[in-house]
């Protein structure tokens, strides 16, 4: 069974949405007999981002400053422990030139060990409006069904562009939006596009086990995992732990799923050890 996680969150500096500290997460991972832990707080920056949460940034300098402190915190805490400790980020990707330029400049300033490509926002075409999946109540009251469907379509499109970008070591929870938006048969078409893109661009994807707690499924859904296994696309298990009790959650269930589909391609920690 996979005995590490690279996708988990902390409550660092009162900015992020984890409920345990870096020290608590590392200590718990050690107790569980993990070989390694990677801390990956949300990196959410966009020039048009509205500051509804302390972890949503529109000011480039502020987010660089916060992540410099996170990286220092994780590295110095990691030195006190026996297991390998890495620092990454779960990055909300946006396809515009403006976002890409800002992000590329950011990468020169911040020394992450790895990056997870993620998508938690519905957005309009030109990225002047975005709404987090957890704050759908921010949507305009008078939004039409057609307008809403357009935002959702752009969300799925965002995932495809995320895969094509080549920025990330692995893709987070591919069909996560169904946690907040009722699943529809027509979303299967987007799911197929994700399967095809992951395969074509040789992009590693995660199997996110946090969905078992909420809607009794992992992300991506069963048939996507089956198709991705057939195509030999590399995967990694992620607990997406937001507190110490969630570390390694449901890994056994996800391992059984991968066994069922004869998975042969796993991301190991080797890429971090170079
Ligand atoms: Zn996420
Ligand atoms: Zn996460």
């Amino acid at each position: 069974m996979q005995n590490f996680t690279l996708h988990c969150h902390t409550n660092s500096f009162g900015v992020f949405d984890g409920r345990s500290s870096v020290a608590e997460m590392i200590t718990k991972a050690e107790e569980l007999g993990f070989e390694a832990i990677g801390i990956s707080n949300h990196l959410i920056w966009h020039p048009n981002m509205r500051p509804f949460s302390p972890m949503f940034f529109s000011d480039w300098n502020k987010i660089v400053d916060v992540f410099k402190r996170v990286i220092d915190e994780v590295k110095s805490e990691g030195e006190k422990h026996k297991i390998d400790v890495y620092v990454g980020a779960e990055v909300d990707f946006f396809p515009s030139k403006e976002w890409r330029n800002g992000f590329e400049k950011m990468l020169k300033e911040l020394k992450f060990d790895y990056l997870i490509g993620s998508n938690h926002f519905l957005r309009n075409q030109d990225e002047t409006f975005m709404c987090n999946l957890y704050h759908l109540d921010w949507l305009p009251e008078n939004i039409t069904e057609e307008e809403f469907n357009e935002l959702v379509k752009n969300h799925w499109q965002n995932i495809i562009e995320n895969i094509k970008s080549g920025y990330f070591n692995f893709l987070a929870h591919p069909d996560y939006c169904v946690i907040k938006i009722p699943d529809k048969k027509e979303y299967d078409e987007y799911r197929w596009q994700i399967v095809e893109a992951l395969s074509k661009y040789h992009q590693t994807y995660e199997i996110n086990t946090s969905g078992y707690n909420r809607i009794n499924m992992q992300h991506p859904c069963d048939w996507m995992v089956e198709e991705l296994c057939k195509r030999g696309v590399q995967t990694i298990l992620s607990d997406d732990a937001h507190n110490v009790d969630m570390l390694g959650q449901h890994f056994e269930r996800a391992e059984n799923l991968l066994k069922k589909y004869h998975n042969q391609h796993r991301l190991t920690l080797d890429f971090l050890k170079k």
Side-chain angles (χ1 to χ4, degrees):
M1 191 156 80
Q2 184 182 306
N3 68 344
F4 64 87
T5 181
L6 296 181
H7 183 167
C8 66
H9 300 269
T10 67
N11 59 7
S12 300
F13 313 114
V15 170
F16 300 101
D17 64 346
R19 291 177 293 282
S20 303
S21 67
V22 171
E24 286 165 343
M25 294 296 270
I26 299 172
T27 303
K28 180 71 184 195
E30 225 165 27
E31 283 168 21
L32 290 170
F34 274 21
E35 179 187 352
I37 182 171
I39 305 291
S40 59
N41 280 310
H42 292 282
L43 191 158
I44 301 175
W45 169 81
H46 193 287
N48 301 328
M49 185 66 66
R50 290 186 290 170
F52 282 115
S53 152
M55 61 181 188
F56 294 2
F57 290 87
S58 57
D59 185 331
W60 190 90
N61 289 302
K62 279 191 187 147
I63 192 164
V64 168
D65 178 58
V66 166
F67 270 96
K68 277 186 176 163
R69 288 157 64 202
V70 170
I71 292 168
D72 285 349
E73 184 195 17
V74 176
K75 293 280 172 199
S76 67
E77 200 56 50
E79 280 167 18
K80 300 179 199 161
H81 294 263
K82 284 198 286 284
I83 63 167
D84 291 333
V85 176
Y86 300 102
V87 59
E90 182 185 6
V91 180
D92 262 275
F93 169 87
F94 294 94
S96 64
K97 197 94 203 114
E98 204 179 5
W99 185 86
R100 287 172 197 258
N101 288 343
F103 178 64
E104 284 176 21
K105 203 169 94 182
M106 203 178 289
L107 290 186
K108 290 185 190 134
E109 299 279 325
L110 300 169
K111 299 284 167 246
F112 289 113
D113 296 317
Y114 65 94
L115 293 168
I116 309 172
S118 200
N119 306 269
H120 301 91
F121 287 82
L122 308 184
R123 64 167 173 87
N124 65 0
Q125 190 64 35
D126 64 4
E127 300 177 18
T128 49
F129 173 79
M130 51 205 79
C131 180
N132 192 285
L133 287 167
Y134 284 89
H135 301 100
L136 295 180
D137 51 323
W138 299 344
L139 289 169
E141 264 175 47
N142 55 356
I143 189 167
T144 64
E145 199 181 327
E146 200 181 336
E147 285 165 340
F148 179 74
N149 290 340
E150 176 70 16
L151 297 178
V152 177
K153 190 179 111 191
N154 289 332
H155 169 81
W156 287 102
Q157 199 55 44
N158 221 63
I159 303 171
I160 309 288
E161 295 302 321
N162 183 327
I163 295 165
K164 290 184 187 172
S165 75
Y167 287 137
F168 304 108
N169 296 97
F170 58 94
L171 176 74
H173 46 59
D175 56 357
Y176 189 69
C177 68
V178 299
I179 220 158
K180 289 288 167 187
I181 299 168
D183 210 344
K184 284 186 188 173
K185 194 75 199 134
E186 63 204 67
Y187 293 166
D188 280 355
E189 195 189 316
Y190 299 126
R191 287 180 159 114
W192 273 114
Q193 289 174 22
I194 292 171
V195 168
E196 299 293 349
L198 286 168
S199 170
K200 181 174 174 191
Y201 292 90
H202 306 286
Q203 171 69 64
T204 304
Y205 70 101
E206 73 173 12
I207 295 186
N208 189 302
T209 59
S210 71
Y212 288 133
N213 298 335
R214 289 151 156 168
I215 53 172
N216 198 29
M217 68 172 268
Q218 74 293 324
H219 303 283
C221 66
D222 277 26
W223 71 259
M224 287 176 83
V225 175
E226 183 176 12
E227 291 297 329
L228 289 160
C229 288
K230 272 193 219 160
R231 286 163 173 76
V233 184
Q234 190 164 258
T235 191
I236 177 174
L237 303 189
S238 290
D239 49 39
D240 204 352
H242 282 66
N243 65 55
V244 291
D245 297 327
M246 294 165 79
L247 281 167
Q249 61 177 344
H250 310 301
F251 273 11
E252 208 174 317
R253 185 168 167 182
E255 290 285 358
N256 286 335
L257 187 74
L258 285 176
K259 206 182 282 173
K260 181 174 156 193
Y261 298 133
H262 311 290
N263 176 269
Q264 308 272 13
H265 299 87
R266 297 290 286 270
L267 182 67
T268 67
L269 295 170
D270 290 350
F271 83 97
L272 291 163
K273 290 173 178 166
K274 279 167 202 156

